[in-house]
């Protein structure tokens, strides 16, 4: 109980830090960018959020439910299979989304005013879809293996600081909104790579890495999708309603 309280308190404290850092980023961004540039950037983020809603087909929720169960039962082949299933799903769905945007960008341009600038940004920012999906996957993995400190630093410290760093560079260099788009993608991808390495290191320290083998893995796709797809349906309804409001 004490461990759970300490972990939840740490995450609550981290949320306040994250809100402050993100607020600072937003203030600097709004003061530097023109109204048109900020609108185009916000439009790109909105589309990324829409596609991100189903980039993993809800498997990030399945991880936090099933991985602890498989780990407790010693079913390491299913632990490996679940991770591989989630990674493969993210790559497959993201490839479809990115391919669709790059194949017909003119269709997106017709939907918005001053579409050329927004489309140019979207062609960069669309890569945030897989990056954010992998970011949430890493957070879910750390949650499954009871590591609140890693979640605290990844989600509430490192990610907001990387974004703030990009915005500070944007202002100091008097750069364009294209710099901001590239910076967001690179910064988030860099953060994901760092914590992938930390996750592997954690598994090795706990003696779990040697149990994860691709040769013996068992992918429980039916069991996991039966749990996640109904939740995905409700998520999509919420995403569509929020998109309509914005």
């Amino acid at each position: 109980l004490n461990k759970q309280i300490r972990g939840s308190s740490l995450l609550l404290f981290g949320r306040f830090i994250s809100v402050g850092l993100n607020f600072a980023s937003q203030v600097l961004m709004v003061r530097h960018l023109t109204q048109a540039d900020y609108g185009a950037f916000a439009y790109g983020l909105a589309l990324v959020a829409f596609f991100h809603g189903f980039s993993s087909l809800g498997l990030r929720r399945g991880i936090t439910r099933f991985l602890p169960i498989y780990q407790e039962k010693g079913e390491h082949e299913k632990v490996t299979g679940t991770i591989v299933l989630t990674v493969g799903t993210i790559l497959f769905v993201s490839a479809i989304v990115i391919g669709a945007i790059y194949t017909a960008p003119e269709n997106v341009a017709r939907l918005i005013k001053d579409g050329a600038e927004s489309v140019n940004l979207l062609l960069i920012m669309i890569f945030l879809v897989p990056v954010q999906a992998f970011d949430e996957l890493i957070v879910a993995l750390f949650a499954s293996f009871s590591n609140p400190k890693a979640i605290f630093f990844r989600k509430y410290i490192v990610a907001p600081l990387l974004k703030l760093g990009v915005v500070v560079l944007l202002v100091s260099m008097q750069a364009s909104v294209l710099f901001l788009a590239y910076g967001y993608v690179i910064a988030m991808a860099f953060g994901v790579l760092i914590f992938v390495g930390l996750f592997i290191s954690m598994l090795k320290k706990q003696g779990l890495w040697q149990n994860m083998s691709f040769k013996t893995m068992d992918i429980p796709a039916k069991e996991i999708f039966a749990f996640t797809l109904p939740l995905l349906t409700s998520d999509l309804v919420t995403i569509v309603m929020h998109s309509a409001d914005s």
Side-chain angles (χ1 to χ4, degrees), residues 190-236:
F190 179 69
V192 170
L193 289 176
I194 290 176
F195 278 83
V196 166
L198 291 178
F199 177 70
I200 294 175
S201 176
M202 181 195 72
L203 291 180
K204 290 180 178 180
K205 288 181 180 180
Q206 295 183 2
L208 301 174
W209 179 251
Q210 62 271 22
N211 296 324
M212 303 182 70
S213 173
F214 294 110
K215 295 181 179 179
T216 60
M217 68 176 179
D218 178 13
I219 300 179
K222 183 177 180 180
E223 181 180 4
I224 294 178
F225 278 121
F227 172 77
T228 59
L229 289 181
L231 297 177
L232 177 64
T233 303
S234 62
D235 287 344
L236 289 178

Side-chain angles (χ1 to χ4, degrees), residues 170-185:
L170 171 77
V171 175
S172 61
M173 297 172 61
Q174 294 296 305
S176 68
V177 69
L178 289 176
F179 174 88
L180 181 63
Y182 279 115
Y184 256 55
V185 174

Side-chain angles (χ1 to χ4, degrees), residues 3-237:
K3 182 179 179 181
Q4 293 294 329
I5 293 176
R6 286 196 301 269
S8 60
S9 301
L10 180 64
L11 296 181
L12 178 62
F13 177 65
R15 184 177 293 274
F16 285 113
I17 297 177
S18 176
V19 169
L21 293 174
N22 286 328
F23 178 75
S25 298
Q26 289 293 324
V27 171
L28 291 175
M29 198 185 306
V30 170
R31 290 178 63 87
H32 176 75
L33 296 177
T34 65
Q35 184 177 359
D37 286 343
Y38 185 78
F41 185 76
Y43 178 79
L45 287 180
L47 277 181
V48 167
F50 173 78
F51 290 121
H52 171 66
F54 52 89
S55 58
S56 65
L57 298 182
L59 290 178
R60 59 185 179 274
R61 290 188 178 183
I63 281 182
T64 55
R65 173 180 173 83
F66 290 102
L67 274 191
I69 295 175
Y70 298 148
Q71 182 66 24
E72 183 70 21
K73 293 181 178 179
E75 297 176 333
H76 303 294
E77 65 281 355
K78 286 189 176 181
V79 172
T80 306
T82 301
I83 296 175
V84 170
L85 174 65
T86 307
V87 171
T89 301
I90 291 173
L91 291 175
F92 178 73
V93 175
S94 298
I96 293 176
V97 171
I98 294 173
I101 294 296
Y102 270 81
T103 301
E106 65 278 0
N107 292 333
V108 179
R110 294 193 191 101
L111 300 176
I112 51 178
K113 183 180 179 181
D114 300 327
E117 182 69 20
S118 296
V119 170
N120 290 335
L121 285 175
L122 182 60
L123 292 176
I124 302 169
M125 297 175 66
I126 196 63
F127 288 96
L128 284 173
V129 173
V131 172
Q132 288 185 352
F134 282 119
D135 184 49
E136 286 200 353
L137 170 61
I138 290 297
V139 172
L141 289 173
F142 278 121
S144 300
F145 287 91
S146 300
N147 197 329
K149 289 184 179 180
I151 299 174
F152 169 79
F153 283 107
R154 172 67 196 109
K155 191 172 183 179
Y156 299 124
I157 303 297
V158 174
L161 277 178
L162 287 174
K163 291 180 181 179
L164 180 59
V166 171
V167 176
V168 170
L169 286 176
L170 171 77
V171 175
S172 61
M173 297 172 61
Q174 294 296 305
S176 68
V177 69
L178 289 176
F179 174 88
L180 181 63
Y182 279 115
Y184 256 55
V185 174
I186 294 172
M188 291 199 65
F190 179 69
V192 170
L193 289 176
I194 290 176
F195 278 83
V196 166
L198 291 178
F199 177 70
I200 294 175
S201 176
M202 181 195 72
L203 291 180
K204 290 180 178 180
K205 288 181 180 180
Q206 295 183 2
L208 301 174
W209 179 251
Q210 62 271 22
N211 296 324
M212 303 182 70
S213 173
F214 294 110
K215 295 181 179 179
T216 60
M217 68 176 179
D218 178 13
I219 300 179
K222 183 177 180 180
E223 181 180 4
I224 294 178
F225 278 121
F227 172 77
T228 59
L229 289 181
L231 297 177
L232 177 64
T233 303
S234 62
D235 287 344
L236 289 178
V237 172

Side-chain angles (χ1 to χ4, degrees), residues 42-43 45-47 49-50 239-246:
Y43 178 79
L45 287 180
L47 277 181
F50 173 78
I239 292 171
V240 171
M241 292 179 64
H242 286 171
S243 299
D245 292 338
S246 61

